[in-house]
PDB file of all heavy atoms in Angstrom:
ATOM      1  N   LYS A  43      35.799  57.054  -8.418  1.00 95.00           N
ATOM      2  CA  LYS A  43      36.146  55.733  -7.869  1.00 95.00           C
ATOM      3  C   LYS A  43      36.520  54.742  -8.969  1.00 95.00           C
ATOM      4  O   LYS A  43      37.567  54.089  -8.907  1.00 95.00           O
ATOM      5  CB  LYS A  43      34.963  55.183  -7.042  1.00 95.00           C
ATOM      6  CG  LYS A  43      34.504  56.135  -5.941  1.00 95.00           C
ATOM      7  CD  LYS A  43      33.340  55.578  -5.156  1.00 95.00           C
ATOM      8  CE  LYS A  43      32.051  55.377  -5.943  1.00 95.00           C
ATOM      9  NZ  LYS A  43      31.433  56.585  -6.517  1.00 95.00           N
ATOM     10  N   THR A  44      35.644  54.647  -9.972  1.00 95.00           N
ATOM     11  CA  THR A  44      35.939  53.728 -11.077  1.00 95.00           C
ATOM     12  C   THR A  44      37.209  54.147 -11.806  1.00 95.00           C
ATOM     13  O   THR A  44      38.033  53.308 -12.173  1.00 95.00           O
ATOM     14  CB  THR A  44      34.751  53.688 -12.058  1.00 95.00           C
ATOM     15  OG1 THR A  44      33.599  53.240 -11.343  1.00 95.00           O
ATOM     16  CG2 THR A  44      35.016  52.756 -13.216  1.00 95.00           C
ATOM     17  N   THR A  45      37.375  55.448 -11.981  1.00 95.00           N
ATOM     18  CA  THR A  45      38.580  55.956 -12.633  1.00 95.00           C
ATOM     19  C   THR A  45      39.825  55.517 -11.874  1.00 95.00           C
ATOM     20  O   THR A  45      40.815  55.104 -12.483  1.00 95.00           O
ATOM     21  CB  THR A  45      38.524  57.492 -12.720  1.00 95.00           C
ATOM     22  OG1 THR A  45      37.300  57.858 -13.336  1.00 95.00           O
ATOM     23  CG2 THR A  45      39.678  58.052 -13.506  1.00 95.00           C
ATOM     24  N   HIS A  84      31.244  46.018 -13.278  1.00 86.00           N
ATOM     25  CA  HIS A  84      29.825  45.893 -13.648  1.00 86.00           C
ATOM     26  C   HIS A  84      29.683  44.933 -14.814  1.00 86.00           C
ATOM     27  O   HIS A  84      28.696  44.244 -14.950  1.00 86.00           O
ATOM     28  CB  HIS A  84      29.217  47.217 -14.107  1.00 86.00           C
ATOM     29  CG  HIS A  84      29.708  48.412 -13.363  1.00 86.00           C
ATOM     30  ND1 HIS A  84      28.955  49.016 -12.390  1.00 86.00           N
ATOM     31  CD2 HIS A  84      30.860  49.104 -13.436  1.00 86.00           C
ATOM     32  CE1 HIS A  84      29.635  50.040 -11.907  1.00 86.00           C
ATOM     33  NE2 HIS A  84      30.782  50.117 -12.517  1.00 86.00           N
ATOM     34  N   ASP A 160      34.732  46.590  -8.309  1.00 93.00           N
ATOM     35  CA  ASP A 160      33.947  47.798  -8.557  1.00 93.00           C
ATOM     36  C   ASP A 160      32.464  47.502  -8.391  1.00 93.00           C
ATOM     37  O   ASP A 160      31.849  46.911  -9.273  1.00 93.00           O
ATOM     38  CB  ASP A 160      34.240  48.335  -9.962  1.00 93.00           C
ATOM     39  CG  ASP A 160      33.771  49.777 -10.128  1.00 93.00           C
ATOM     40  OD1 ASP A 160      33.105  50.298  -9.211  1.00 93.00           O
ATOM     41  OD2 ASP A 160      34.063  50.369 -11.177  1.00 93.00           O
ATOM     42  N   GLU A 161      31.944  47.907  -7.266  1.00 90.00           N
ATOM     43  CA  GLU A 161      30.539  47.641  -6.931  1.00 90.00           C
ATOM     44  C   GLU A 161      30.144  46.203  -7.239  1.00 90.00           C
ATOM     45  O   GLU A 161      29.227  45.953  -8.019  1.00 90.00           O
ATOM     46  CB  GLU A 161      29.627  48.607  -7.693  1.00 90.00           C
ATOM     47  CG  GLU A 161      29.880  50.045  -7.282  1.00 90.00           C
ATOM     48  CD  GLU A 161      29.048  51.020  -8.095  1.00 90.00           C
ATOM     49  OE1 GLU A 161      27.885  50.686  -8.365  1.00 90.00           O
ATOM     50  OE2 GLU A 161      29.561  52.085  -8.446  1.00 90.00           O
ATOM     51  N   VAL A 191      35.084  49.139  -4.323  1.00 95.00           N
ATOM     52  CA  VAL A 191      34.242  50.324  -4.406  1.00 95.00           C
ATOM     53  C   VAL A 191      32.820  49.873  -4.144  1.00 95.00           C
ATOM     54  O   VAL A 191      32.387  48.864  -4.692  1.00 95.00           O
ATOM     55  CB  VAL A 191      34.328  50.943  -5.816  1.00 95.00           C
ATOM     56  CG1 VAL A 191      33.245  51.983  -6.006  1.00 95.00           C
ATOM     57  CG2 VAL A 191      35.692  51.545  -6.039  1.00 95.00           C
ATOM     58  N   HIS A 193      28.589  51.109  -2.891  1.00 90.00           N
ATOM     59  CA  HIS A 193      27.587  52.054  -2.408  1.00 90.00           C
ATOM     60  C   HIS A 193      26.826  51.460  -1.224  1.00 90.00           C
ATOM     61  O   HIS A 193      25.995  52.109  -0.623  1.00 90.00           O
ATOM     62  CB  HIS A 193      26.602  52.415  -3.527  1.00 90.00           C
ATOM     63  CG  HIS A 193      27.205  53.321  -4.550  1.00 90.00           C
ATOM     64  ND1 HIS A 193      27.594  54.606  -4.273  1.00 90.00           N
ATOM     65  CD2 HIS A 193      27.521  53.127  -5.852  1.00 90.00           C
ATOM     66  CE1 HIS A 193      28.115  55.160  -5.358  1.00 90.00           C
ATOM     67  NE2 HIS A 193      28.080  54.281  -6.331  1.00 90.00           N
TER      68      HIS A 193
HETATM   69 MG1   MG C 677      31.842  53.758 -10.864  1.00 62.24          MG
END
Side-chain angles (χ1 to χ4, degrees):
Chain A
K43 305 180 296 298
T44 300
T45 307
H84 323 257
D160 196 353
E161 297 176 39
V191 168
H193 287 294

